[in-house]
Amino acid sequence: MNSINPLLNPRSVAVIGASTRSFRAGNIVMKNLLQGGFDGAIMPVTPRYPSVCGVLAYKTVLDLPLVPDIAILCTHASRNLQLFSQLAEKGVSCVIVLSADMYSEDAQQHEIQQQCLTIAKQAGIRVLGPNSLGIILPWIHFNGSFSPVNALKGHIAFISQSAAVCTTILDWANDKQIGFSAFISLGNACDIDFADLLDSLSIDKHTHAILLYVDTIKDARRFLSAARAASRNRRILVLKGGRTAAGRKAAKIHTGGEDTLDIIYDSAIRRTGMLRVNNTHELFAAVETLTHAVPLQGERLAIITNGGGPAIMAVDTLLERGGKLAQLNPTVYQQLDQCLPRSWSQNNPIDIVGDADHIRYVNALKAVLDSDDIDAILIMHSPSAIAHSEQTAMAIVEVIKTHPRARRFNILTNWSGELTARPARHIFTQAGIPTYRTPESAVVAFMHLVEFRRNQKQLMETPTTTELVTASEINSAKAWIAEHLSEQESVHIDTHQIGTFLKCFHFNVLPTWIASDSSEAVHIAETIGYPVAVKLRSPDISHKSDVQGVMLNLRNRNEVANAAQSILDRTQLSYPAARVYGLLVQAMAKLA
């Protein structure tokens, strides 16, 4: 397969279908190229006009005075077959196709896209698209797209199958002053795909992190291979659409590809050392964190706050996602006692009380920065008449800039509110300190760092030597299959049933107990020890998340009783006809 280097480092570009008419793709692309400041050759191609945007135009591709590195097709799909033939004859190496209608058929009832791709393969042309927004390369001032806004220079590469997601991310990033090394819209990805771009961007000097928006993956083996290799060099985040059956159907219509269960994508993303985010809001938070964060040294989080309620919400989110709250050592307690009122929380979260001014924030932060038992710090602020929002933000920025140990920590901030908090958040953004609107989004951003760190450890794991499975174990597995599986199309196997089968092949599984009601679940939890997980047991509800049927990290009898009864109540309300066989209770797995 030919290199895509000309696509990522072009010195010349031809705009096929260039236009003088406003709001036409050929006009927007020309203006973006010229206004972006690209210093290579820009050559409009159109038989209609002698010039476009003040640049001499050429009637056909064959009339071009030199072979462009990239040709951008801003034309209707019906013209593209003839244009591909001309581009092949000219020797163009890369083509970007903006057309969204390449699946339409010509008079011979053949898809135009497939015919164009056949010509491209024969001529060694690499194709980005169709249905692409184009490509933006800020470090060489190249904006070969019809995006309404340009991208700033930065160190994040963004690759998306959706043009709408591209423009949304770009608009948000410009507001946050976050830049990119490359901004690439794959469209339907008939040729150039994620794997090609991951291979190239993972060794690009301007790219420190890579963000992917994925609808579907067409070549899973190539993608996983490229992702594993790229993850060793760059941080990679994935926003995967199509988590539900209806979403997968919509994704297939949007960009093609196979209908693959979301859990398979989830496992693959985790094992290849990438990090998955669940929605656009999380993606924004992850970009904010990755842009400014230093590599995470550990997972212990300390929280400094002037409000107990927001801190409680932060702690709940942290523990629900499997995070760790730092345990403060006696030295930190002594330092905090000296600078805080007697009514401070005496615990982590460090509640410095609602009347805290900027000096109290500074003293508390300095005490925490002197600790060796903390890896990350979340500083929270709720609107206060005492602690002026902007003054407090500036004081904290000054401490972070001057304290000799500050660079050892990941420091995040949450300034809640809008009117009074927005200028303070801007101060943190300008200082390169991640900042968030809500306690939950700040903690989720921190957990992105934690989950990425865990995924990287999995990526670097060396598989252990495969243990032999004995004949007796194989016979036991066959006997289990004969006992539990029939010739029916679908058989529901419970967690506690499949455990016996998995043990035949040396898989470690958690012991599982069955409870008929909430009181029995409490009794089991008290017997096996906390924390525990409680899960719905019903063959009629495949996705337990539909009724919040899985509750994790339950730490005492009250939490277990409430969670168990709530699961049963929600199930009865949402699925009154479903068969419910009680609940499963398991001890939470201990993560290394």
Side-chain angles (χ1 to χ4, degrees):
M1 190 65 71
N2 289 354
S3 168
I4 62 169
N5 287 339
L7 180 74
L8 299 177
N9 191 29
R11 300 308 308 154
S12 57
V13 56
V15 181
I16 318 296
S19 176
T20 61
R21 297 173 65 183
S22 299
F23 306 114
R24 287 294 184 95
N27 182 257
I28 294 171
V29 171
M30 279 297 298
K31 286 180 176 177
N32 282 346
L33 285 165
L34 293 168
Q35 293 171 2
F38 180 59
D39 62 0
I42 301 173
M43 300 171 287
V45 176
T46 172
R48 290 176 177 266
Y49 314 106
S51 66
V52 178
C53 298
V55 181
L56 178 68
Y58 301 89
K59 291 188 179 299
T60 70
V61 171
L62 299 178
D63 293 330
L64 291 171
L66 55 86
V67 179
D69 288 328
I70 298 176
I72 304 176
L73 268 64
C74 308
T75 49
H76 189 273
S78 59
R79 293 187 55 201
N80 287 350
L81 188 59
Q82 179 185 8
L83 288 170
F84 262 85
S85 297
Q86 294 179 8
L87 291 167
E89 185 177 346
K90 190 70 176 178
V92 175
S93 56
C94 290
V95 176
I96 300 174
V97 182
L98 308 186
S99 305
D101 50 1
M102 292 278 282
Y103 281 121
S104 57
E105 298 177 337
D106 64 4
Q108 284 74 42
Q109 300 298 304
H110 296 295
E111 284 186 358
I112 297 172
Q113 174 177 304
Q114 190 55 48
Q115 294 182 78
C116 290
L117 191 59
T118 299
I119 295 171
K121 287 183 176 179
Q122 292 173 348
I125 299 173
R126 301 306 307 271
V127 181
L128 181 68
N131 197 20
S132 170
L133 183 75
I135 183 170
I136 306 175
L137 304 166
W139 286 94
I140 60 171
H141 309 287
F142 183 88
N143 184 355
S145 75
F146 65 100
S147 166
V149 289
N150 203 353
L152 302 173
K153 284 184 183 178
H155 298 286
I156 297 174
F158 184 76
I159 310 169
S160 172
Q161 284 180 318
S162 167
V165 172
C166 280
T167 53
T168 302
I169 294 290
L170 198 51
D171 191 58
W172 171 85
N174 283 341
D175 180 64
K176 286 283 190 177
Q177 296 293 295
I178 291 173
F180 296 89
S181 58
F183 206 90
I184 304 170
S185 170
L186 284 177
N188 294 353
C190 72
D191 175 30
I192 296 173
D193 209 338
F194 289 109
D196 300 285
L197 294 166
L198 285 172
D199 286 340
S200 297
L201 292 170
S202 66
I203 56 174
D204 173 51
K205 65 180 180 180
H206 293 302
T207 300
H208 299 169
I210 302 172
L211 307 183
L212 310 178
Y213 171 77
V214 179
D215 276 340
T216 55
I217 298 296
K218 297 176 183 177
D219 189 335
R221 187 179 295 276
R222 279 193 70 219
F223 174 75
L224 291 176
S225 177
R228 285 186 65 86
S231 290
R232 296 175 184 272
N233 300 323
R234 300 292 186 271
R235 292 173 289 185
I236 303 177
L237 272 70
V238 182
L239 174 57
K240 170 68 179 70
R243 294 195 301 273
T244 63
R248 293 196 302 272
K249 182 178 179 181
K252 188 172 183 179
I253 294 170
H254 184 211
T255 50
E258 299 298 324
D259 182 5
T260 304
L261 289 176
D262 188 66
I263 191 172
I264 297 174
Y265 277 108
D266 201 55
S267 299
I269 289 167
R270 196 162 52 245
R271 288 298 301 178
T272 49
M274 301 185 290
L275 171 67
R276 182 175 185 176
V277 294
N278 294 316
N279 50 55
T280 311
H281 181 72
E282 282 193 16
L283 182 63
F284 289 161
V287 174
E288 178 89 4
T289 310
L290 283 182
T291 302
H292 304 301
V294 298
L296 193 66
Q297 300 302 312
E299 301 181 4
R300 301 165 298 178
L301 178 67
I303 300 174
I304 300 172
T305 180
N306 68 340
I312 292 169
M313 290 187 281
V315 170
D316 284 343
T317 304
L318 180 72
L319 297 182
E320 286 168 359
R321 295 183 69 108
K324 297 178 182 178
L325 202 59
Q327 301 297 314
L328 305 181
N329 64 50
T331 303
V332 176
Y333 279 112
Q334 292 172 8
Q335 288 182 267
L336 291 171
D337 280 335
Q338 292 173 9
C339 64
L340 299 181
R342 294 180 62 183
S343 57
W344 81 278
S345 61
Q346 299 289 325
N347 205 349
N348 182 22
I350 303 165
D351 186 350
I352 61 177
V353 194
D355 65 351
D357 58 8
H358 71 281
I359 296 174
R360 197 181 294 175
Y361 265 99
V362 165
N363 290 334
L365 178 57
K366 287 181 177 178
V368 171
L369 289 172
D370 288 334
S371 172
D372 290 322
D373 300 317
I374 295 166
D375 303 304
I377 306 167
L378 171 58
I379 308 167
M380 303 175 62
H381 179 277
S382 298
S384 166
I386 305 296
H388 187 270
S389 180
E390 293 174 65
Q391 183 186 35
T392 305
M394 288 188 288
I396 287 172
V397 168
E398 184 61 25
V399 173
I400 294 171
K401 284 183 176 179
T402 58
H403 197 286
R405 288 170 53 89
R407 292 188 62 82
R408 297 179 57 179
F409 299 86
N410 283 88
I411 301 177
L412 306 90
T413 62
N414 157 228
W415 252 236
S416 296
E418 283 301 333
L419 189 61
T420 60
R422 192 182 299 117
R425 289 198 294 266
H426 183 68
I427 289 170
F428 287 120
T429 297
Q430 292 296 105
I433 299 168
T435 186
Y436 307 91
R437 293 176 60 252
T438 66
E440 295 88 349
S441 60
V443 172
V444 167
F446 169 68
M447 287 307 300
H448 288 151
L449 294 173
V450 171
E451 291 159 9
F452 177 76
R453 182 173 183 263
R454 292 173 182 174
N455 291 355
Q456 283 288 297
K457 288 177 69 176
Q458 284 192 346
L459 174 65
M460 299 303 175
E461 287 176 355
T462 303
T464 57
T465 303
T466 303
E467 297 181 16
L468 293 176
V469 179
T470 65
S472 62
E473 289 169 330
I474 293 175
N475 290 334
S476 297
K478 289 180 177 178
W480 184 94
I481 292 172
E483 180 183 353
H484 291 87
L485 302 184
S486 66
E487 294 182 356
Q488 299 172 1
E489 290 184 6
S490 176
V491 179
H492 182 85
I493 303 296
D494 266 341
T495 303
H496 68 286
Q497 296 173 306
I498 197 72
T500 304
F501 174 77
L502 294 174
K503 285 179 180 177
C504 294
F505 299 95
H506 308 160
F507 286 99
N508 293 323
V509 294
L510 288 171
T512 302
W513 287 263
I514 300 173
S516 58
D517 55 26
S518 59
S519 60
E520 193 171 346
V522 170
H523 176 73
I524 293 170
E526 293 279 315
T527 303
I528 65 177
Y530 296 102
V532 300
V534 175
K535 306 175 184 180
L536 175 67
R537 187 180 176 219
S538 171
D540 297 330
I541 304 175
S542 301
H543 300 288
K544 305 300 185 285
S545 58
D546 291 347
V547 291
Q548 288 182 267
V550 178
M551 303 297 285
L552 306 177
N553 283 310
L554 304 174
R555 293 161 293 186
N556 56 56
R557 62 184 300 118
N558 289 336
E559 289 187 5
V560 172
N562 292 336
Q565 192 59 50
S566 296
I567 289 173
L568 295 173
D569 291 346
R570 285 192 296 268
T571 304
Q572 178 61 33
L573 183 64
S574 303
Y575 293 90
R579 292 170 294 170
V580 176
Y581 297 152
L583 303 158
L584 300 177
V585 183
Q586 296 174 317
M588 290 295 296
K590 291 180 173 60
L591 298 176

